[in-house]
Amino acid sequence: MGKTRALEAKASLREYVPATKRLNAAVLEEMLSEHRMVYVKPNAGMCGDGVIRVEKVVPEKGASLRYTFQTGVRKKSFATFEGMYASLRKVTGKRRYLVQKGIQLLKYKGNRFDLRVMVQMTPAAKWETTGVIGRVAHPSKIVTNYHDGGKLKSVDTLLRRYMTANDRKLYVKRLEQLGRKAAKAIEARYKGVKEIGVDIAVDYEMKPWILEVNTSPDPYIFRKLKDKRVFAKIKRYAKAYGRL
């Protein structure tokens, strides 16, 4: 939540941050009424562990309202909000959780994907976006993380069906700029940060949304890119500030 508030403090970033609040019954019910689909996420976590997708399913004619949530590959359905929330709290336990507006992600071959933007402090003490890579979710899972069955693809491959080649280049530049702005916002609140990994969702209007900022991002996923210069630079910068 602290990192979300750091992003929201910058006017130029605010429109890219999905509504995010601390989890309780009233907040979840309100956000489901407004957005229909939300993600319930641990306030502190890694690799998508503990992330839950919650939906309010609007009935078709003759059907009844229901609520669902999915964690991992298991999906449960409930007739009432109260029943769903009671079951959800058994999953979340005593951990602190957040509720975030759900974004309908673009898909690659039928599977959702998001983008990881790597931003690092250069040896000259300036923020630089050093890599952007796509993460395609496992068909039966709700998170895109590579360590949870996701697949890594180049941004160019993932956006090919949605944009022309020139538009893709311009879009990547936009993501790189967004990454640098996020890094400066995080640094303003958390002194000493040298690298961040920004998880960005792209919706069907091609708007980027900052889902999360990781202050200990995995640099090794960038070895999967064909352009080996990307990981070489990431590694060089990481060594310079002592990460590797």
Side-chain angles (χ1 to χ4, degrees), residues 204-218:
Y204 280 86
E205 294 180 350
M206 306 312 298
K207 179 179 177 178
W209 293 88
I210 300 176
L211 300 179
E212 194 170 308
V213 174
N214 300 273
T215 48
S216 295
D218 179 6

Side-chain angles (χ1 to χ4, degrees), residues 75-128:
K75 189 171 186 177
K76 294 184 176 182
S77 183
F78 303 86
T80 66
F81 173 83
E82 290 75 16
M84 181 274 293
Y85 188 72
S87 183
L88 181 73
R89 290 305 285 175
K90 291 179 181 177
V91 176
T92 60
K94 295 182 178 180
R95 294 175 72 181
R96 290 184 177 180
Y97 269 72
L98 312 176
V99 187
Q100 187 176 77
K101 170 188 173 181
I103 307 298
Q104 297 292 349
L105 301 179
L106 296 185
K107 292 183 178 180
Y108 173 75
K109 295 185 177 180
N111 298 320
R112 303 181 191 95
F113 70 83
D114 65 10
L115 308 174
R116 164 62 63 88
V117 178
M118 185 78 171
V119 191
Q120 296 174 277
M121 186 71 75
T122 71
K126 293 184 178 181
W127 285 109
E128 180 181 332

Side-chain angles (χ1 to χ4, degrees), residues 191-242:
K191 303 300 181 184
V193 172
K194 302 293 185 183
E195 62 181 12
I196 63 168
V198 188
D199 292 341
I200 293 181
V202 182
D203 68 19
Y204 280 86
E205 294 180 350
M206 306 312 298
K207 179 179 177 178
W209 293 88
I210 300 176
L211 300 179
E212 194 170 308
V213 174
N214 300 273
T215 48
S216 295
D218 179 6
Y220 293 103
I221 60 174
F222 290 91
R223 289 187 298 184
K224 297 291 184 178
L225 292 176
K226 287 184 179 179
D227 187 350
K228 301 306 176 185
R229 294 172 298 178
V230 174
F231 179 67
K233 177 182 278 191
I234 289 172
K235 185 177 179 181
R236 177 159 52 88
Y237 285 3
K239 282 185 174 181
Y241 51 71

Side-chain angles (χ1 to χ4, degrees), residues 141-188:
K141 295 189 177 181
I142 59 169
V143 296
T144 60
N145 301 69
Y146 175 63
H147 300 288
D148 201 23
K151 293 190 179 297
L152 301 170
K153 298 285 182 181
S154 72
V155 178
D156 199 61
T157 296
L158 297 178
L159 295 182
R160 193 167 293 154
R161 65 172 288 199
Y162 300 102
M163 300 179 186
T164 65
N166 188 58
D167 285 344
R168 292 196 298 272
K169 288 180 182 179
L170 294 174
Y171 200 79
V172 169
K173 289 185 181 298
R174 182 183 181 187
L175 295 175
E176 291 173 348
Q177 182 182 45
L178 196 58
R180 291 191 296 272
K181 286 183 177 181
K184 291 174 183 177
I186 294 298
E187 183 188 23

Side-chain angles (χ1 to χ4, degrees), residues 42-89:
N43 187 49
M46 294 180 65
C47 301
D49 177 52
V51 175
I52 305 164
R53 179 182 170 109
V54 185
E55 295 182 74
K56 180 179 182 178
V57 183
V58 179
E60 295 181 3
K61 198 170 183 179
S64 56
L65 175 69
R66 62 191 175 91
Y67 295 86
T68 68
F69 74 76
Q70 181 178 347
T71 177
V73 297
R74 295 182 61 193
K75 189 171 186 177
K76 294 184 176 182
S77 183
F78 303 86
T80 66
F81 173 83
E82 290 75 16
M84 181 274 293
Y85 188 72
S87 183
L88 181 73
R89 290 305 285 175

